[in-house]
Amino acid sequence: MKKASILVVDDDQDLLTAVRILLRPKVKQIIVEPNPENIFRTLERNVIDLVLLDMNFKSAINTGNEGLFWLGKIKSRYPHIKVVMITAYGAVDLAVRSLKQGASDFIVKPWQNEHLLQTLETVFEETKQIKGREQTILSAIRQDNDLIGRSAIMEDLQYKIDKVAPTDANILILGENGTGKDLIAQALHQRSLRKKQCYIKVDVGALTETLFESELFGYKKGAFTDAREDRQGRFEAANGGTLFLDEIGNISLQQQAKLLSVLQNRQVVPLGSYQPVSVDIRLLSATNVPLKALADESRFRKDLIYRINTVEIQVPPLRERGEDIVLLANHFLDFYNRKYHKHMEGFERNAIQKLKTYHFPGNVRELQYSIERAVIMAEQQSIQDNDILFSPIEQAVQESSMLREPAYANQSLEEMERHAIQSAIERYNGNISKAARELGLTRAALYRRMEKYNI
């Protein structure tokens, strides 16, 4: 209770004075309000943990209906706020009705101060236990390769991973920067039949033409000036296990030809040798380049796409993951609390709202950056909205992109609608139900528009 903010709503000024005197040394903040019409103005301006709410306001008949009305309004707009009802008429039916409508407890006035304090302590203790259970759930989710997510789109992704992981199919992981393609690759390996063998990651997009062969295929002593000893390449190192080639969309056509030859023959020839070495690997690849762009043969060999893309997995951007944003934010808060020896207790409501309404062009990586900075810089015991600053790097990239390509600037409304429908259908791999849900249409309405635009 020492860290709690409590709002007391009652039209009895004597009661408000008594409660304020009693609770002031016990809680962080105590606000009293005689007029229930001002409840939401107060809740909007303050972060409130619990409301003590009278059941009758200047009514000749003490039915409790006014209190039940305001209880319903509070719980519909602020479901996380605890409400304890107070009345001079402790009828059982009123108690039951208020509890059924979301009240945490019910107290009869006049009361003993010890009884009121005990009631509030109990409510806050229950809240603490609920948060503890949520943390346990979060920890359980975290143990599964850090693939944190409960949204429908992440459940679909988890299902697909479970489906393809036990096979030896080559998998191409697609997604924007910062979406977690590396974690998807690790999850595929951990759920595969090769999980007890090695997992080797190579950022092939960063390899120069001269390093590409020596890093991937290895070399013999004397193969070039600095080759003072034999060195095994990444393909050989991954033999029996999984090889993950990240940023594969950035390699040159010449590098693609060499890679294709190895994948076709399942053999590598180290530099300085003429003896091929057989390799048995499960290949995973990832890129932030859209598949349509890869299909351009001036940029990427189509025969190589077929080799690396037996199955493709599309990792959703964070802006499409809804409830996962808060789940991930809590995960990073817990992580950086431990890393920096902090004791931040969570996010205030205004901070949660700020996270939920931001579009995260930098995806999970940007969220992680924002939470780490907030944990370091926050002045209070919980994260406020002004503690959360989003990456200036992503803002600069977006502004630059907008200057280069003004989105839909020259498109008609029909062209914009057609584009939105096509994008939704492609994003959900032809699943009409999911595309319709995202667009806010019924399946029948979406089919009619598809027919209209010849999609």
Side-chain angles (χ1 to χ4, degrees):
M1 275 178 55
K2 284 281 187 186
K3 298 166 185 173
S5 294
I6 295 178
L7 169 64
V8 186
V9 187
D10 197 305
D11 56 4
D12 184 340
Q13 287 289 353
D14 291 337
L15 181 141
L16 292 180
T17 301
V19 173
R20 183 166 49 203
I21 293 170
L22 173 66
L23 294 182
R24 184 178 290 161
K26 307 286 185 182
V27 300
K28 175 183 174 183
Q29 182 184 29
I30 177 74
I31 301 173
V32 296
E33 175 55 60
N35 186 357
E37 300 286 345
N38 295 330
I39 287 176
F40 293 111
R41 187 182 307 162
T42 305
L43 293 179
E44 286 164 5
R45 294 177 178 177
N46 301 272
V47 177
I48 301 296
D49 300 299
L50 182 143
V51 176
L52 266 172
L53 177 64
D54 191 19
M55 294 200 74
N56 297 286
F57 294 90
K58 297 192 183 302
S59 174
I61 303 174
N62 295 304
T63 62
N65 287 339
E66 289 173 289
L68 293 174
F69 170 80
W70 290 111
L71 168 65
K73 288 286 187 182
I74 293 170
K75 297 305 288 186
S76 65
R77 288 179 59 176
Y78 301 99
H80 64 284
I81 293 180
K82 302 299 177 184
V83 181
V84 174
M85 307 302 294
I86 52 179
T87 185
Y89 300 85
V92 174
D93 60 332
L94 282 181
V96 172
R97 284 176 64 190
S98 67
L99 293 173
K100 282 184 177 180
Q101 291 186 27
S104 297
D105 210 332
F106 185 95
I107 188 166
V108 180
K109 59 181 180 181
W111 57 69
Q112 296 293 321
N113 287 345
E114 294 77 11
H115 178 55
L116 174 60
L117 293 173
Q118 183 59 52
T119 300
L120 297 179
E121 287 281 6
T122 301
V123 170
F124 283 116
E125 183 60 32
E126 288 173 354
T127 304
K128 184 178 177 182
Q129 290 173 4
I130 290 170
K131 287 183 177 178
R133 288 195 293 271
E134 289 175 348
Q135 188 63 36
T136 301
I137 293 170
L138 184 61
S139 299
I141 296 170
R142 189 177 303 129
Q143 289 171 4
D144 193 7
N145 302 292
D146 276 341
L147 287 187
I148 299 171
R150 297 177 187 167
S151 60
I153 200 168
M154 282 300 289
E155 286 181 0
D156 289 345
L157 179 63
Q158 294 273 19
Y159 174 80
K160 195 167 188 179
I161 292 172
D162 288 336
K163 191 82 170 174
V164 301
T167 72
D168 260 353
N170 293 339
I171 296 174
L172 177 61
I173 305 167
L174 301 166
E176 298 175 9
N177 284 332
T179 51
K181 298 185 289 295
D182 194 351
L183 287 175
I184 300 298
Q186 292 177 43
L188 285 163
H189 174 69
Q190 289 299 325
R191 301 180 198 183
S192 75
L193 300 178
R194 297 172 181 257
K195 63 183 178 182
K196 294 184 179 179
Q197 306 302 318
C198 57
Y199 170 83
I200 304 291
K201 175 189 172 181
V202 189
D203 185 355
V204 289
L207 296 178
T208 63
E209 293 285 350
T210 52
L211 284 175
F212 186 81
E213 284 188 84
S214 61
E215 281 294 315
L216 291 183
F217 312 142
Y219 53 81
K220 292 293 185 181
K221 181 179 179 180
F224 47 88
T225 304
D226 292 326
R228 298 185 176 88
E229 58 184 5
D230 291 354
R231 182 178 174 184
Q232 197 177 57
R234 301 299 180 91
F235 269 87
E236 279 190 81
N239 192 43
T242 301
L243 179 64
F244 174 43
L245 303 181
D246 199 9
E247 301 300 345
I248 198 169
N250 296 336
I251 65 176
S252 68
L253 288 169
Q254 184 179 357
Q255 292 169 330
Q256 291 171 34
K258 295 171 183 175
L259 181 59
L260 177 64
S261 175
V262 170
L263 296 177
Q264 284 176 332
N265 300 317
R266 292 284 167 171
Q267 292 180 330
V268 296
V269 179
L271 292 175
S273 172
Y274 298 100
Q275 185 67 37
V277 179
S278 296
V279 289
D280 170 29
I281 61 152
R282 200 276 180 83
L283 182 70
L284 306 177
S285 308
T287 181
N288 62 352
V289 179
L291 196 58
K292 280 188 175 180
L294 289 179
D296 180 0
E297 290 201 76
S298 65
R299 175 173 185 168
F300 208 90
R301 296 179 61 117
K302 191 170 287 185
D303 46 2
L304 180 57
I305 291 179
Y306 284 118
R307 281 284 173 185
I308 65 176
N309 186 29
T310 307
V311 178
E312 69 190 54
I313 288 180
Q314 183 74 47
V315 187
L318 184 57
R319 61 184 172 274
E320 294 179 5
R321 293 178 56 181
E323 62 188 297
D324 292 345
I325 293 173
V326 177
L327 200 64
L328 285 161
N330 279 302
H331 164 67
F332 292 131
L333 178 65
D334 180 54
F335 177 83
Y336 290 115
N337 264 337
R338 285 183 278 112
K339 179 176 180 179
Y340 297 117
H341 308 290
K342 297 273 189 171
H343 302 283
M344 306 303 297
E345 295 177 348
F347 297 88
E348 295 295 351
R349 184 171 62 250
N350 50 18
I352 292 291
Q353 188 63 22
K354 187 172 185 177
L355 291 172
K356 285 182 174 180
T357 54
Y358 184 62
H359 57 291
F360 286 103
N363 292 295
V364 180
R365 186 181 299 143
E366 184 180 6
L367 173 63
Q368 182 175 0
Y369 156 85
S370 299
I371 302 304
E372 180 177 14
R373 185 196 180 284
V375 170
I376 294 170
M377 301 301 293
E379 297 288 343
Q380 300 185 43
Q381 283 297 101
S382 56
I383 304 293
Q384 313 290 319
D385 62 339
N386 57 5
D387 294 324
I388 298 174
L389 298 179
F390 299 114
S391 172
I393 298 170
E394 298 298 339
Q395 301 296 329
V397 169
Q398 273 203 306
E399 288 169 10
S400 173
S401 176
M402 288 174 69
L403 288 172
R404 291 195 309 271
E405 298 178 29
Y408 309 125
N410 300 313
Q411 289 190 1
S412 67
L413 286 173
E414 286 194 347
E415 289 172 328
M416 291 170 64
E417 184 177 48
R418 187 179 197 280
H419 177 81
I421 291 170
Q422 280 184 315
S423 297
I425 292 172
E426 288 172 5
R427 187 154 46 249
Y428 290 104
N429 298 314
N431 188 312
I432 299 300
S433 296
K434 291 181 180 179
R437 187 160 55 245
E438 177 177 306
L439 294 166
L441 300 171
T442 64
R443 282 170 55 93
L446 180 54
Y447 276 124
R448 285 196 297 271
R449 282 168 172 77
M450 290 170 65
E451 186 176 355
K452 174 184 176 182
Y453 296 122
N454 194 28
I455 296 174

